[in-house]
């Protein structure tokens, strides 16, 4: 077994005579698996209940003949036009009450009974026809759930929302009214039928109403995934099922902690943001989060791009060497499969300017040469497959907290969840610290240090779990505006930071968010603080640094508290990057956390642990090259060089993967 390699294959976009060339070039590139049928519903079912599997039969047989596995998709992300002509009520309605049209993808209401019936019908036909086909290695259910239709505000969605709420609140309207705080603004509900989705209204909607709506929308799409999965399992229980998550910078519609246990293989799509000058950090952070969603097990990168995408204001091409670095960085962070959208660049359609493994220019192109080289690289790394990550630092990540923090009418709309988490992740990543992501209620026993950069919302169980970790000897670091509200978005009274006051040994009576561009000097190290400040009073903690100017002069900005047999830190502001990096370095050293390997600036070090060996990935993002110490008896897998003699050379802008004897 090797690391899987391939991409979305859409032969229906090309004449049949092209397919033979596809097979030949896939062999040249080292492709082992392709996703097929993702957007084929209109071809497979040209009219309701009438099926034509001729094309898919030929394609699957062709793949099988050439030793390429199929990740066979249910085509339910793009219902055909005939479906919407028959069921116009299945089209989604936006927050302003406009019913959208078909003509692209994911133009359906997730709560539509007609859509569910049609989707399960086509999934069942596929399952029964191809359950025993030798090419089919995995089911690919739908595609990027919620990418374009995370919510629908129609009457069918309203009724489904009410059903969901009745289940959550035990069919008790008083319980819902209490949870939503409907005594405010005369929002009390006396009948379930009065409850609507949070449609456009004249003022700020109820925050708990909005939060429950986000939860419902995630669950509504999850129910569709599970329904299709059960249809497939009934026909082929031995074939694993997946769907592609979108753990990347701009997508927050789904609570993937709830989704991940339902997948046999966790898969992810990841695309770079053209405006991000250090997108390698986003790759690392995303990979660590996906690996954590997979329970520490390897995962599959279902989609990324060989070059430019087509959906950003300016779509940047990748620089020389970037394709290879990106792909191998995903492997370093736990991917056991690398796939792209798509195999052959489209000449027509909405994504005709999206890069592909085989570009418009054909094989006489830099992208094609890089694709072939990457295939050889992945074959060289076959033994890495199945190995896992190791981390003694956990970063708390919670979609409910993200949703709640970014609701309207916060103390500052400048505070954004992803920005806060990345600001803490980045300096530790630069230092070579291995990190997992965890839910607030996760088992924290494997970790020395737990970071909660942004946990505005946390329930009692999660707060107790994190506090208990510190009191039992761990080191906990908490960011500002954390612990402020409970799971219903109700403010925790008695002073901030609410749920964490006791563990942190502080109490804040008033918040002082800063205006954009404003900053305050800090008392130690010449650092500054921006974005946020608060009037902190010590209640057992010690001040590490304080504000040196402004209305809070002399008030603690960063504190440390001995709590039980452990330590709890509070960062009540946003220090400048250098100051924050220094604080986090101090905190991790005090916790006894060491880097994977000490490397020059710009060289990323990641470790995967196998049964018999450790695999050290060294990725030069700086473009200067490096010489990095390695264990005695180590070998470099990409070049085949053995007996390295105590160090390995990482070429400028390149990658080295070193097999070392397994450490205890």
């Amino acid at each position: 077994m090797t690391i899987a390699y391939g991409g979305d294959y859409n032969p229906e976009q090309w004449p049949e005579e092209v397919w033979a060339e596809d097979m030949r070039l896939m062999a040249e590139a080292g492709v082992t698996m392709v996703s097929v049928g993702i957007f084929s519903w209109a071809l497979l079912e040209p009219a309701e209940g009438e099926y034509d599997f001729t094309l898919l039969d030929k394609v699957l047989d062709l793949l099988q003949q050439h030793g390429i596995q199929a990740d066979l998709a249910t085509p339910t992300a793009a219902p055909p036009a005939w479906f919407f002509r028959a069921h116009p009520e299945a089209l989604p309605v936006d927050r302003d009450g406009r019913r959208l049209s078909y003509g692209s993808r994911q133009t359906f209401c997730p709560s539509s009974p007609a859509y569910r019936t049609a989707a399960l019908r086509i999934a069942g036909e596929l399952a029964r026809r191809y359950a025993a086909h030798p090419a089919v290695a995995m089911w690919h259910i739908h595609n990027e759930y919620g990418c374009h239709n995370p919510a629908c505000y129609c009457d069918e969605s309203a009724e489904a929302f009410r059903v969901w709420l009745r289940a959550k609140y035990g069919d008790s309207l008083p319980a819902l009214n209490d949870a939503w705080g409907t005594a405010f603004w005369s929002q009390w509900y006396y009948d379930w039928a009065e409850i609507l989705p949070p449609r456009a209204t004249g003022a700020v909607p109820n925050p708990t109403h909005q939060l429950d709506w986000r939860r419902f929308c995630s669950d509504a799409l999850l129910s569709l995934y599970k329904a299709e999965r059960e249809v497939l399992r009934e026909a082929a229980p031995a074939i694993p099922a997946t769907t592609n998550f979108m753990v990347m910078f701009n997508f927050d519609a789904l609570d993937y902690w709830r989704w991940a246990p339902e997948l046999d293989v966790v898969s992810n799509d990841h695309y770079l943001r053209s405006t991000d000058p250090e997108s390698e950090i986003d790759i690392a952070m995303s990979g660590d989060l996906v690996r954590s969603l997979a329970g520490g097990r390897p995962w599959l990168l279902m989609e990324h791009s060989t070059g430019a995408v087509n959906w950003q204001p300016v779509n940047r091409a990748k620089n020389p060497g970037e394709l290879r670095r990106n792909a191998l960085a995903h492997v370093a962070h736990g991917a056991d499969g690398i796939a792209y959208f798509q195999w052959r660049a489209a000449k027509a359609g909405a994504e005709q300017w999206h890069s592909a493994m085989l570009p418009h220019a054909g094989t006489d192109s830099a992208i094609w040469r890089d694709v072939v080289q990457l295939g050889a690289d992945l074959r060289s790394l076959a033994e890495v497959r199945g190995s896992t990550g190791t981390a003694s630092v956990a970063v708390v990540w919670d979609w409910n907290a993200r949703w709640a923090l970014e609701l309207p009418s916060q103390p500052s709309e400048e505070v954004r969840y992803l920005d806060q988490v990345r600001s803490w992740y980045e300096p530790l990543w630069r230092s070579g610290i291995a990190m997992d992501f965890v839910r607030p209620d996760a088992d924290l026993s494997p970790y020395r240090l737990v970071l909660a950069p942004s946990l505005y919302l946390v329930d009692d169980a999660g707060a107790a779990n994190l506090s208990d970790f510190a009191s039992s000897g761990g080191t906990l670091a908490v960011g500002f505006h954390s612990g402020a509200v409970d799971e219903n978005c109700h403010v925790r009274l008695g002073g901030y930071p609410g749920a964490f006051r006791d563990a942190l040994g502080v109490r804040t009576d008033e918040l002082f968010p800063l205006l954009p561009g404003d900053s305050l000097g800090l008392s130690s190290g010449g650092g500054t603080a921006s974005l946020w400040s608060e009037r902190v009073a010590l209640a057992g903690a010690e001040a590490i640094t304080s504000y040196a100017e402004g209305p809070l002069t002399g008030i603690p900005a960063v504190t440390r508290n001995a709590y039980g047999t452990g330590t709890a830190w509070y960062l009540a502001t946003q220090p400048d990057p250098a100051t924050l990096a220094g604080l986090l370095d101090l905190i991790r050293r005090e916790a006894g956390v060491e880097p994977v390997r000490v490397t020059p600036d710009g060289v990323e070090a990641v470790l995967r642990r196998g049964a018999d060996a450790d695999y050290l990935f060294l990725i030069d993002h700086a473009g200067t090259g490096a010489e990095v110490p390695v264990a005695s008896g180590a070998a470099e897998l990409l070049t085949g060089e053995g007996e390295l003699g105590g160090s390995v050379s990482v070429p400028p802008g390149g990658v080295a993967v070193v097999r070392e004897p397994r450490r205890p």
Side-chain angles (χ1 to χ4, degrees):
M1 294 291 285
T2 187
I3 292 174
Y5 186 43
D8 288 11
Y9 183 40
N10 299 294
E12 65 272 16
Q13 298 176 10
W14 301 94
E16 190 169 344
E17 55 265 25
V18 174
W19 302 354
E21 181 186 42
D22 287 334
M23 296 301 107
R24 178 179 64 80
L25 293 177
M26 285 182 189
E28 182 179 336
V31 167
T32 65
M33 184 174 72
V34 293
S35 297
V36 291
I38 293 175
F39 297 115
S40 299
W41 194 344
L43 297 179
L44 299 177
E45 190 179 7
E48 185 169 357
E50 298 178 14
Y51 302 98
D52 183 356
F53 293 107
T54 306
L55 184 149
L56 193 52
D57 286 346
K58 290 180 180 179
V59 170
L60 289 175
D61 289 347
L62 196 61
L63 292 171
Q64 193 270 326
Q65 292 163 18
H66 288 82
I68 298 171
Q69 294 181 320
D71 171 38
L72 180 57
T74 61
T76 53
W82 61 255
F83 169 78
F84 291 114
R85 289 187 66 196
H87 301 284
E89 78 283 359
L91 288 165
V93 173
D94 70 11
R95 187 170 176 267
D96 293 318
R98 298 174 300 174
R99 190 173 292 277
L100 306 182
S101 179
Y102 59 89
S104 59
R105 63 179 184 177
Q106 292 178 321
T107 52
F108 63 87
C109 165
S111 299
S112 165
Y115 169 78
R116 179 181 288 254
T117 297
L120 296 185
R121 185 176 64 238
I122 186 66
E125 292 292 331
L126 278 168
R128 288 183 288 274
R129 187 174 187 88
Y130 298 115
H133 196 288
V136 178
M138 185 164 61
W139 298 118
H140 183 312
I141 300 175
H142 199 82
N143 185 72
E144 296 183 335
Y145 275 101
C147 181
H148 302 288
N149 61 341
C152 171
Y153 296 81
C154 72
D155 289 341
E156 287 185 332
S157 296
E159 180 55 36
F161 184 38
R162 289 189 283 266
V163 170
W164 184 91
L165 290 170
R166 293 179 83 142
K168 176 176 181 179
Y169 292 105
D171 207 24
S172 169
L173 271 173
L176 178 141
N177 282 308
D178 180 64
W180 286 17
T182 56
F184 189 81
W185 278 1
S186 189
Q187 293 175 338
W188 195 271
Y189 295 105
Y190 291 95
D191 191 297
W192 290 101
E194 296 169 356
I195 299 173
L196 298 173
R199 295 167 177 163
T201 187
V204 178
N206 182 304
T208 320
H209 184 179
Q210 295 178 83
L211 182 59
D212 268 350
W213 173 250
R214 297 294 298 265
R215 292 162 171 160
F216 157 75
C217 290
S218 177
D219 282 356
L221 288 163
L222 178 56
S223 74
L224 290 175
Y225 167 81
K226 291 165 67 175
E228 286 196 38
R229 182 198 62 194
E230 292 312 304
V231 168
L232 298 170
R233 278 184 177 173
E234 183 177 351
I239 298 178
T242 191
T243 190
N244 38 344
F245 290 172
M246 292 185 291
V247 175
M248 52 184 177
F249 66 89
N250 65 338
F251 186 78
D252 70 344
L254 306 181
D255 182 353
Y256 285 136
W257 288 123
R258 288 178 61 81
W259 281 67
E262 305 295 341
L263 276 62
D264 298 316
V265 178
V266 170
S267 302
N268 191 51
D269 293 354
H270 186 273
Y271 292 98
L272 305 183
R273 180 172 41 177
S274 292
T275 55
D276 186 350
E278 294 183 295
S279 54
E280 60 269 20
I281 302 171
D282 194 64
I283 291 174
M285 186 168 148
S286 171
D288 286 345
L289 179 51
V290 179
R291 185 190 66 247
S292 301
L293 288 166
R297 297 181 299 276
W299 52 278
L300 174 64
L301 181 65
M302 187 69 77
E303 289 183 27
H304 67 317
S305 66
T306 57
V309 298
N310 70 301
W311 43 267
Q312 298 181 32
V314 176
N315 296 294
R316 181 182 70 82
K318 292 190 176 182
N319 295 322
E322 192 174 1
L323 181 154
R324 186 174 187 247
R325 287 195 304 275
N326 289 171
L328 294 181
H330 284 293
V331 175
H333 289 273
D336 268 3
I338 296 295
Y340 290 95
F341 180 82
Q342 58 180 324
W343 161 250
R344 184 182 283 270
K347 65 179 182 179
E351 295 182 295
Q352 62 187 6
W353 290 110
H354 194 293
S355 60
M357 299 176 77
L358 182 60
H360 292 139
T363 56
D364 185 13
S365 62
I367 281 181
W368 176 252
R369 289 185 285 273
D370 285 347
V371 162
V372 173
Q373 177 60 56
L374 179 59
D377 289 337
L378 296 176
R379 289 192 296 275
S380 299
L381 299 181
E383 66 182 84
V384 174
R385 182 181 173 120
S387 59
T388 58
T390 59
S392 56
V393 177
V395 181
V396 180
W397 179 284
D398 185 65
W399 273 275
N400 282 266
R402 180 176 184 177
W403 295 337
L405 178 68
E406 296 177 358
L407 290 172
S409 296
Q410 282 286 325
S412 172
E413 65 179 17
E414 298 295 313
V415 179
R416 289 177 286 272
Y417 186 86
L418 188 59
D419 292 347
Q420 292 309 115
V421 176
R422 177 161 165 165
S423 73
W424 285 40
Y425 179 92
E426 180 177 332
L428 292 172
W429 172 84
R430 292 188 190 281
S431 297
I433 304 300
M435 289 170 276
D436 289 338
F437 285 86
V438 295
R439 298 167 53 129
D441 60 354
D443 176 13
L444 303 177
S445 60
Y447 305 105
R448 292 176 177 267
L449 171 62
V450 173
L451 308 174
S454 185
L455 199 59
Y456 169 67
L457 177 151
V458 64
D459 63 15
D460 290 346
N465 187 50
L466 294 167
S467 298
D468 289 348
F469 169 77
S471 68
S472 299
T475 299
L476 173 68
V478 177
F480 63 81
H481 207 31
S482 292
V485 300
D486 65 15
E487 67 274 19
N488 292 320
C489 268
H490 292 195
V491 174
R492 294 180 180 274
L493 303 179
Y496 321 114
F500 299 114
R501 284 197 308 269
D502 290 344
L504 298 174
V506 298
R507 181 180 179 273
T508 293
D509 73 331
E510 191 170 3
L511 307 176
F512 290 77
L514 302 178
L515 294 173
D518 285 356
S519 63
L520 299 171
L522 296 173
S523 62
S524 59
T528 60
S530 63
L531 195 64
W532 190 272
S533 62
E534 52 188 68
R535 188 161 51 217
V536 172
L538 301 178
E542 60 175 316
I544 301 301
T545 188
S546 302
Y547 302 106
E549 57 182 326
L552 300 182
T553 298
I555 297 295
V558 177
T559 63
R560 179 186 182 278
N561 188 43
Y563 185 63
T565 57
T567 307
W569 291 73
Y570 186 45
L571 278 64
T573 189
Q574 180 69 19
D576 65 85
T579 301
L580 178 59
L583 282 167
L584 291 172
D585 189 62
L586 172 64
I587 292 168
R588 68 94 180 162
R589 288 177 184 275
E590 185 181 276
V593 173
E594 296 297 327
V596 167
R597 199 65 44 94
V598 176
T599 61
D601 289 345
V603 178
E604 179 181 7
V606 190
L607 190 69
R608 287 184 63 163
R609 172 150 293 174
D612 303 311
D614 288 341
Y615 300 100
L616 176 66
F617 287 72
L618 298 165
I619 307 169
D620 177 29
H621 301 292
T624 56
E627 194 76 18
V628 178
V630 296
S632 176
E636 208 288 315
L637 299 182
L638 295 175
T639 62
E641 182 182 357
E643 298 298 325
L644 291 173
S647 68
V648 66
S649 295
V650 185
V655 182
V657 182
V658 180
R659 181 207 304 121
E660 295 183 318
R662 194 180 192 280
R663 298 183 181 183

